[in-house]
């Protein structure tokens, strides 16, 4: 972790812990939070003294800009505990840089690197016992920034809160995932802010995704907003297609979230000798490959599940099912990334960062 500068963090510890009330064998994702939260306010043009306080409700004026103009960005990352009780983060600098990129696009102030890493470090130290050992268990970390200035004029807020909350998570199984390929709705547009992890990107997906759910699909694969001819990303995942022995994923752009898992998958796959093509891929190419039995796998990549196999897809009323694979790329790549995250294999990339 970054420790060069000394950051003064005001810490108020919780008087009692809620941990004994939690059934760690029966957690529903993102519904239970640890004893503490990190919070830092921006006002008068600068970030104030960061604090860690007992997890608590926020009090804000109903006219706060976040409620009206959606100035809100967030991140999703995880902490893992190994057999020796050591706690690890996976490429946390990527999440740090991405939240600032997201903030900049929404005209919000960037957060100082030393505040972020020292705050996260102290928070994880305080709530370390909430991180359960064992493959699949983790602590989901949700940093976010919201516009708190009161007043309903449509202009950037002069005040913000940067907050980190943490939620214990079990092995994530999304169930069987079949996707609908979008031919009408878009998640983002060229020149927009699809690359930002901005709250509004998710709000805009809920309605079209609920329509896809009614047709029996769990997620939507978004296509480019101009032509709907090119495959881009799934709901909260980047997406990979294995055609023959090649993996194909589209390049990132201002419409697509530059996933930390995506770039890790590309690197690990290439090091396994798998050819990865990063290029635009058309819906028509996918359908042709499926019809010729050359389409072997589709999977999504993201922090929640690392890799989520996609079993089938639908497009304009037609449906395709994928074959089951013995030599699945998805499984091999996932095992390597999990091994790095849980400190069970060597990390030649330097992605694993110890929290001590
Ligand atoms: C829209 C979108 N795409 C892709 C991803 C995957 O990104 P990452 O691998 O950094 O979790 C996410 C999840 O964070 C997402 O919300």
């Amino acid at each position: 972790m970054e420790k060069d500068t000394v950051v003064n963090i005001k810490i108020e510890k919780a008087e009692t812990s809620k941990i004994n009330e939690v059934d760690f064998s029966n957690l529903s994702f993102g519904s239970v939070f640890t004893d503490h939260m990190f919070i830092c306010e921006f006002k008068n043009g600068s970030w104030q003294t960061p604090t860690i306080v007992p997890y608590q409700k926020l009090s804000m004026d109903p006219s706060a800009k976040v409620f009206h103009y959606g100035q809100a960005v967030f991140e999703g990352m995880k902490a893992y505990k190994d057999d020796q009780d050591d706690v690890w983060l996976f490429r946390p600098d990527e999440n740090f840089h991405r939240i600032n990129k997201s903030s900049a696009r929404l005209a919000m102030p960037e957060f100082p690197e030393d505040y972020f890493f020292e705050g996260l470090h102290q928070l994880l130290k305080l709530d370390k016992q909430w991180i359960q050992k064992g493959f699949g268990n983790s602590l989901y970390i949700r940093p976010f920034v919201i516009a708190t200035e009161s007043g309903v004029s449509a202009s950037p807020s002069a005040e913000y809160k940067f907050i980190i909350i943490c939620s214990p998570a079990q092995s994530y199984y999304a169930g069987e995932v079949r996707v609908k390929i979008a031919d009408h709705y878009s998640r983002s547009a060229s020149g927009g802010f699809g690359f930002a992890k901005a709250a509004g990107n998710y709000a805009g997906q809920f309605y079209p995704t609920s329509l896809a759910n009614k047709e029996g699909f769990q997620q939507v694969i978004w296509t480019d907003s101009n032509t709907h001819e090119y495959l881009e990303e799934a709901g909260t995942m980047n997406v990979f297609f294995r055609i023959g022995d090649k993996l194909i994923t589209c390049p990132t752009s201002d419409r697509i979230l530059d996933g930390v898992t995506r770039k890790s998958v590309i690197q690990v796959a290439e090091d396994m000798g798998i050819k990865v093509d990063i290029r635009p891929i058309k819906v028509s190419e996918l359908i042709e490959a499926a019809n010729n039995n050359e389409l072997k796998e589709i999977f999504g990549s993201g922090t929640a599940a690392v890799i989520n196999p996609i079993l089938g897809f639908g497009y304009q009323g037609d449906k395709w099912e994928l074959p089951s694979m013995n030599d699945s790329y998805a499984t091999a790549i996932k095992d390597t990334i999990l091994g790095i995250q849980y400190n069970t294999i060597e990390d030649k990339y330097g992605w694993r960062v110890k929290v001590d």
Side-chain angles (χ1 to χ4, degrees):
M1 313 264 311
E2 306 284 326
K3 275 190 174 166
D4 291 348
T5 14
V6 180
V7 179
N8 176 27
I9 299 183
K10 237 174 88 191
I11 299 180
E12 182 196 335
K13 284 195 187 163
E15 277 175 16
T16 53
S17 174
K18 300 171 293 197
I19 198 161
N20 292 332
E21 296 159 26
V22 177
D23 177 1
F24 281 92
S25 62
N26 191 20
L27 290 167
S28 92
F29 179 76
S31 57
V32 171
F33 294 90
T34 61
D35 290 323
H36 298 92
M37 63 199 268
F38 171 85
I39 182 158
C40 186
E41 288 189 27
F42 182 90
K43 59 182 179 197
N44 304 323
S46 63
W47 291 102
Q48 308 294 304
T49 304
T51 60
I52 291 177
V53 293
Y55 187 91
Q56 59 192 262
K57 293 190 172 153
L58 302 174
S59 169
M60 273 190 288
D61 196 278
S63 71
K65 299 215 183 209
V66 64
F67 299 134
H68 305 273
Y69 305 112
Q71 260 191 309
V73 299
F74 66 99
E75 265 307 320
M77 52 203 291
K78 281 180 172 177
Y80 311 87
K81 195 180 264 179
D82 68 16
D83 284 344
Q84 290 75 48
D85 274 341
D86 286 327
V87 174
W88 302 89
L89 294 164
F90 183 70
R91 310 186 77 174
D93 45 333
E94 295 280 344
N95 299 94
F96 169 71
H97 291 300
R98 194 169 64 186
I99 201 166
N100 276 346
K101 246 173 94 176
S102 300
S103 290
R105 179 61 182 83
L106 270 79
M108 301 162 77
E110 295 186 8
F111 197 61
E113 187 164 2
D114 51 354
Y115 282 25
F116 178 78
F117 282 103
E118 189 59 24
L120 182 56
H121 169 88
Q122 296 290 347
L123 182 63
L124 292 176
K125 247 171 70 177
L126 271 178
D127 285 342
K128 183 176 175 177
Q129 54 176 342
W130 288 79
I131 313 170
Q132 301 286 297
K133 271 196 275 206
F135 239 49
N137 295 326
S138 64
L139 188 71
Y140 183 78
I141 302 165
R142 169 55 61 92
F144 63 107
V145 196
I146 50 170
T148 51
E149 189 192 0
S150 47
V152 293
S153 64
S155 57
S157 176
E159 294 175 6
Y160 297 88
K161 284 187 202 295
F162 187 109
I163 301 173
I164 307 177
I165 54 177
C166 300
S167 173
Q170 274 177 303
S171 180
Y172 184 86
Y173 175 61
E176 296 203 336
V177 177
R178 288 179 175 77
V179 291
K180 175 178 172 148
I181 297 177
D183 62 354
H184 172 69
Y185 292 103
S186 300
R187 173 187 174 273
S188 62
S190 300
F193 56 96
F195 69 92
K197 220 164 154 58
N201 282 332
Y202 298 81
Q205 293 190 96
F206 292 158
Y207 174 67
T209 303
S210 74
L211 295 181
N213 293 158
K214 283 186 194 137
E215 291 179 56
F217 300 104
Q218 285 69 40
Q219 296 235 4
V220 174
I221 290 191
W222 301 103
T223 46
D224 71 291
S225 54
N226 296 337
T227 66
H228 293 293
E229 280 182 28
Y230 291 92
L231 297 154
E232 300 214 309
E233 66 180 324
T236 55
M237 300 186 289
N238 296 107
V239 48
F240 288 79
F241 307 92
R242 175 181 173 188
I243 298 184
D245 287 332
K246 252 188 213 169
L247 266 187
I248 306 167
T249 193
C250 72
T252 52
S253 71
D254 59 1
R255 297 187 300 271
I256 295 173
L257 194 84
D258 186 5
V260 181
T261 320
R262 174 187 178 277
K263 50 180 90 159
S264 311
V265 166
I266 293 170
Q267 176 88 59
V268 165
E270 283 176 342
D271 290 350
M272 281 175 171
I274 298 169
K275 172 97 180 70
V276 185
D277 269 5
I278 302 168
R279 62 162 171 87
I281 169 163
K282 278 191 165 185
V283 181
S284 57
E285 181 182 347
L286 184 76
I287 291 174
E288 201 183 309
N291 290 341
N292 295 338
N293 298 322
E294 282 172 39
L295 178 66
K296 310 271 191 226
E297 292 178 74
I298 307 179
F299 58 83
S301 69
T303 296
V306 182
I307 281 181
N308 218 321
I310 292 170
L311 305 184
F313 68 95
Y315 181 63
Q316 295 186 335
D318 290 324
K319 290 185 179 173
W320 287 262
E321 283 290 304
L322 270 77
S324 68
M325 293 297 297
N326 289 329
D327 70 329
S328 152
Y329 287 176
T331 308
I333 297 166
K334 181 173 180 170
D335 287 349
T336 301
I337 294 179
L338 283 175
I340 294 174
Q341 290 172 335
Y342 286 88
N343 190 23
T344 60
I345 62 171
E346 187 208 347
D347 171 17
K348 64 177 177 182
Y349 307 105
W351 289 342
R352 192 166 55 214
V353 177
K354 194 170 182 181
V355 180
D356 54 15

